[in-house]
Amino acid sequence: GSAAGPAVPRYVRLNTLKITTNEAIAYFKRQGYTYLGKARSLDEVAELGQKHGKRFLQDLHVPDLLAFPPGTDFHKDTLYTAGHLILQDKASCLPALLLSPPVGSCVIDACAAPGNKTSHLAALMKNKGRIFAFDLDTKRLATMSTLLLRAGVTCQELANQDFLTVKPDDPKYQKVSHILMDPSCSGSGMPDLMRALGDKNGPEQEKRLQSLSGFQCRALSHALSFPSVQRVVYSTCSIHQQENEDVVKTTLEQNTNFKLVNALPSWPARGLNTFLDAGCCLRASALDTFTNGFFVAVFERKSDGNESSS
Ligand code: SAM
């Protein structure tokens, strides 16, 4: 544990393009791990963090996600190096899961690198349809390209481009129905980063958060401007209201043709009660949900003639 909360389990997302959950469970049993079954409550997941030993669970919220004791290291595991396992925190699996693009659909991953959520989307889409993935950072995009190759993802089209310059009226994006918006953020939900930076509060931090939230609002509104988009998921690994609830509130005020969907109602930690419907958003933290700090909001286009009600 630390100031950021207790140690979180080692989560392992199974890449269903390459392996089934049953195959993976059998594999880990052969490696000497005891399988405790599918968790029935968050408490069972939390208990993994308190005891040591080679044990694992299947998660209760995210299908195809396994939880191991904190610190379990799979970086040298042959299933990891072969792209069957994705080492991804549980909270960061929620955006793709909640976007839930149908098999064969047309999707944009707006800020995509290094691509863990892209490969999750591709798995949910069974590699059918199209994912247009953008990122500004050339290096991160190169890493992403390698990771997607290893994961067997084939439905992507990567572009080293500022998402804000992607034209919503380009015929290429005419059928885009689902967009994942996971923009740059302060990273304040990541325990390692916070430990390294220390707790900085003050005018400098406030300025940085204002600048980040300005970009986040612009990027999110740009996503909502694509002509056929039905569903947009906004996520950050930040714990700050300025980058989370405040961005969602401003975006809803500026885009009255969209409403929030109640994201994963069984999830216990909700958005801070700063505006009507903020409880539709979800939050994650080491203390409440045994994950890294995280935030997710799900936007859906209102059906025609339904602009003022929700
Ligand atoms: N979604 C990624 C994943 O799950 O692996 C993580 C994305 S990270 C939080 C944010 C990314 O946004 C960074 O890689 C950054 O380079 C990229 N980015 C920042 N501004 C951007 C912009 N205007 N257009 C496209 N990408 C941008």
Side-chain angles (χ1 to χ4, degrees):
S2 76
V8 305
R10 168 74 266 173
Y11 293 103
V12 174
R13 182 168 63 77
L14 306 172
N15 176 10
T16 55
L17 294 175
K18 293 207 160 185
I19 195 168
T20 67
T21 299
N22 285 340
E23 285 165 352
I25 289 171
Y27 170 81
F28 287 116
K29 284 183 179 168
R30 287 197 302 275
Q31 302 294 307
Y33 288 91
T34 304
Y35 180 50
L36 304 175
K38 186 169 174 159
R40 280 154 300 173
S41 68
L42 270 178
D43 288 341
E44 287 187 32
V45 180
E47 273 169 29
L48 264 187
Q50 288 151 12
K51 291 180 211 142
H52 288 279
K54 293 183 88 177
R55 303 165 307 128
F56 71 111
L57 280 166
Q58 197 182 344
D59 186 60
L60 71 161
H61 294 105
V62 182
D64 312 313
L65 188 75
L66 303 178
F68 293 81
T72 312
D73 189 0
F74 290 115
H75 285 92
K76 288 193 180 122
D77 193 283
T78 47
L79 279 193
Y80 170 69
T81 52
H84 293 54
L85 313 180
I86 314 283
L87 302 180
Q88 184 175 0
D89 181 58
K90 172 174 174 175
S92 89
C93 296
L94 297 175
L97 191 68
L98 289 169
L99 190 63
S100 183
V103 172
S105 56
C106 225
V107 177
I108 285 179
D109 191 346
C111 296
N116 277 339
K117 298 184 190 77
T118 318
S119 80
H120 194 187
L121 291 169
L124 295 171
M125 293 160 68
K126 303 195 192 307
N127 248 342
K128 298 194 175 81
R130 205 92 199 113
I131 305 176
F132 301 102
F134 301 95
D135 205 281
L136 261 184
D137 189 316
T138 318
K139 255 196 183 159
R140 286 170 68 97
L141 207 64
T143 305
M144 171 163 178
S145 180
T146 309
L147 291 180
L148 293 186
L149 184 69
R150 192 162 82 178
V153 175
T154 53
C155 62
Q156 79 279 26
E157 191 174 317
L158 304 191
N160 191 189
Q161 189 180 344
D162 181 344
F163 175 66
L164 294 173
T165 69
V166 177
K167 299 242 178 317
D169 57 0
D170 187 327
K172 198 172 165 184
Y173 309 122
Q174 203 182 316
K175 287 196 206 143
V176 169
S177 56
H178 292 69
I179 300 183
L180 192 80
M181 174 51 67
D182 184 43
S184 296
C185 72
S186 62
S188 52
M190 306 298 280
D192 294 344
L193 188 71
M194 286 327 269
R195 228 166 279 143
L197 292 177
D199 231 352
K200 277 201 192 112
N201 270 317
E204 234 170 87
Q205 144 114 327
E206 194 50 42
K207 228 171 108 187
R208 178 159 176 258
L209 291 179
Q210 283 314 317
S211 139
L212 282 165
S213 78
F215 164 68
Q216 290 153 353
C217 286
R218 280 196 301 283
L220 184 50
S221 277
H222 191 61
L224 298 181
S225 75
F226 281 70
S228 302
V229 75
Q230 292 301 320
R231 189 176 266 249
V232 174
V233 168
Y234 174 73
S235 58
T236 72
C237 59
S238 164
I239 58 169
H240 290 108
Q241 182 189 325
Q242 292 97 317
E243 300 179 90
N244 296 333
E245 290 84 358
D246 290 0
V247 168
V248 171
K249 178 173 186 274
T250 304
T251 304
L252 283 171
E253 285 164 2
Q254 293 171 352
N255 299 271
T256 53
N257 51 338
F258 281 84
K259 62 179 181 190
L260 287 179
V261 177
N262 194 13
L264 205 58
S266 67
W267 189 263
R270 311 305 304 182
L272 302 178
N273 192 12
T274 57
F275 66 95
L276 191 72
D277 284 351
C280 287
C281 307
L282 66 80
R283 274 183 170 253
S285 67
L287 272 177
D288 294 326
T289 56
F290 315 109
T291 64
N292 290 339
F294 213 79
F295 176 86
V296 188
V298 183
F299 292 80
E300 206 168 70
R301 187 184 293 277
K302 292 179 184 170
S303 47
D304 282 339
N306 192 22
E307 298 257 319
S308 55
S309 71
S310 57

